[in-house]
Amino acid sequence: MPRLSVVVPCFDVRSFLRECLDSLLAQSFADFEVIAVDDCSPDGSGAILDEYAARDERVRVLHLPQNVGLGPARNAGMAQARGDYLFFLDSDDTLTPGALAAITDRLAESGDPDVLVFDYARSYWWGGVRRNVLAHLLASTDEVVTAAQLPEILDLMMVAWNKVQRRDFVERHGFAFPPGYYEDTPWTFPVLFSAERIALLDRICVLYRQRRRGSILSTTSRRHFDVHEQYGRVFAFLDSRPELTSWRPFLHRKLGEHCLDILGKPNRLPPADRAEFFRRTAELFRAHRPDEESIPPNLKVLYGSWASYLARQRVAAVRKRLREAAVPRARRTAAKARLNRPLDPNLVLYSAFSHRGVLGDPAAIHRKAREIAPHLRGVWVVRDGATEVPDDVEHVLPDSRAYRQLASRAAYFVNNTPWPGALVKRPGSTHIHTHQGTPLKYMAADLLTKPGARYGVDVPRMLRQADRWDHSLVANLHSELVWERAYPCHFASARTGSPRNDVLVTASPDAGVEVRERLGIPAGHTVVLYAPTRRDHVRGGHVDRIDLARLAASLGEGHTLVVRLHPSLAAGPVRGMGLTELHRRGVLVDATDELHVEEVMLASDVLVTDYSALMFDYANLDRPVVVHADDLATYSAARGLYFDVTAEPPGHVTRGQEELAELFASGRWRDEESALLRKEFRARFCTFDDGHAAERVVRTLLLGESG
């Protein structure tokens, strides 16, 4: 019989589930079982659970046939438990190292109490960690107590995951979780009221993830009305236990405080339901008032009307109006006038690479829209001096009056970088974000764990801008998972594929001939494209990982080396430190300034890269890829990688220049092993790229066609 049974209910948590399970299975204390409950999760969480169960016998998976909610899912797991103690761990939270050892040591030290309460810290999406403000209560005594002896412990957050309960104690009292929101309330209060021996542990054992989006408490819904029924269950419990009737005044206050807190949160209740919620709260509060209780001043509003409650909120409204008054009146008036105009259902505003030109995925979508939906008016936002703007493409300058007028009326916005912060997303408009390929290195919120990589990057601002997105385009399930985690915002993943890759998927054998001629590459040459990514941990972003002249020479006759630096380095000093001169001398071709990277890929026969997302796009060509990973450990530590690309590569991996030269000299760069690795890589990362991505975006997201 294990010492602990850890019940982990799972629903729609795949972005966090591995981190949760890893924190559990890596504990130094090993005498526990994990009962993972797949609550009919639609996001593949069940498959992740099965994967962990296959490699660790302590993990058992229970797949529920239908979704039942958090409370019943915990009950299902509890019914399978064999341990001495029950621990309910939420699947988006994590354990701190050594947590289970500390818990079991304290259980032994305190003589196996009914309940052990331990500490937690809030782990915020932006990287901050804040300890429970009432942590001092857990250090107030080493003795085993009851709730009556130390009632302050009932001020701790009433949740199931900051405590463990002896299983026979739970079974003897018949405790169970109810369905609905706030299911912890009718579990935790009865457990603590009934426990004859409660021990405390002054140690942070759980990191409580504060999700920016997606948590139950941040969801606007009538389901928050469930709180009334949950408190009703606790009062019914007290009615069935006369020896606990002294807790009624306390519970009465908690009811009022909890419900007013929910009502005071701006995004929990639908506006039309707030008055009804107040009335139901007031009715419940009055019905359960103990005769001897004096009502705290802050709760007396529940004996008044909805109108009197609203009067208390007017102060906050006045303050808000005062803040708005700081904005110049003329500016507010003009903006309001623009935003009052009706949306144009046929107007699409495009931008790419911070207004650099008609490029990338947005350009591919625009071309397809002109072909199959000519009634749509596509206007591009391009900065002054942009070189890639065809004569027949309508465009405006950013921050111009024309731009502001169009932005106030456009029904659709398509971009691969965030729109500027001043843009107001109007109700009814649709924002389509294409990204810039499949992510390998950490992005957005994940950069919060990499302070060097996020230097100069305002992650909170990025997420506020991403809050406008309605659709996030993905080419594979890996991208879908990463973007949902890196951008914890409200958007739907659109499994369309990458529109800019359509030309790669449908490319004919001679598709790159014209580009080769323009770049001056001799006919018949084997073209080796070298495309390294930037190094965020190095001043300037670039390190000469490869001696380009030596590499070009080692390739031999009949080969041309084409170099394309990361776009962020195009205007920097790197090219002036040798690359430009080598290009001038004909040693290699510098294609950094080529606006359309797809054309450069089409012109090549093999890609050599390190950790550039270009490898995912290039795989669509089904041409050889070589991963040159001579600084993998350093790069991974500094920037972070979503997976070890050397363990799951699209081709051969080299660790030094001599090894790279030998690979090409021997011809192994295009052998059967290379083809097999590429096939497996394509199956995983080119899933939705079928040559029709742009058309799919236009038909489903711009025209609203089904299928």
Side-chain angles (χ1 to χ4, degrees), residues 182 216-224 258 261-263 265-270 274:
Y182 304 100
I216 289 175
L217 295 185
S218 67
T219 304
T220 302
S221 168
R222 278 188 60 89
R223 293 191 65 187
H224 291 285
H258 196 170
D261 180 68
I262 294 171
L263 189 60
K265 294 292 192 297
N267 298 319
R268 290 200 187 175
L269 294 163
R274 289 168 56 79

Side-chain angles (χ1 to χ4, degrees), residues 428-439:
S429 64
T430 299
H431 283 238
I432 300 169
H433 192 77
T434 71
H435 301 283
Q436 297 178 40
T438 293

Side-chain angles (χ1 to χ4, degrees), residues 57 212 230 345 404 452 482 566 613 673:
E57 62 182 7
R212 185 172 183 270
Q230 306 295 26
R404 289 191 292 271
V482 168
H566 190 275
E673 182 182 357

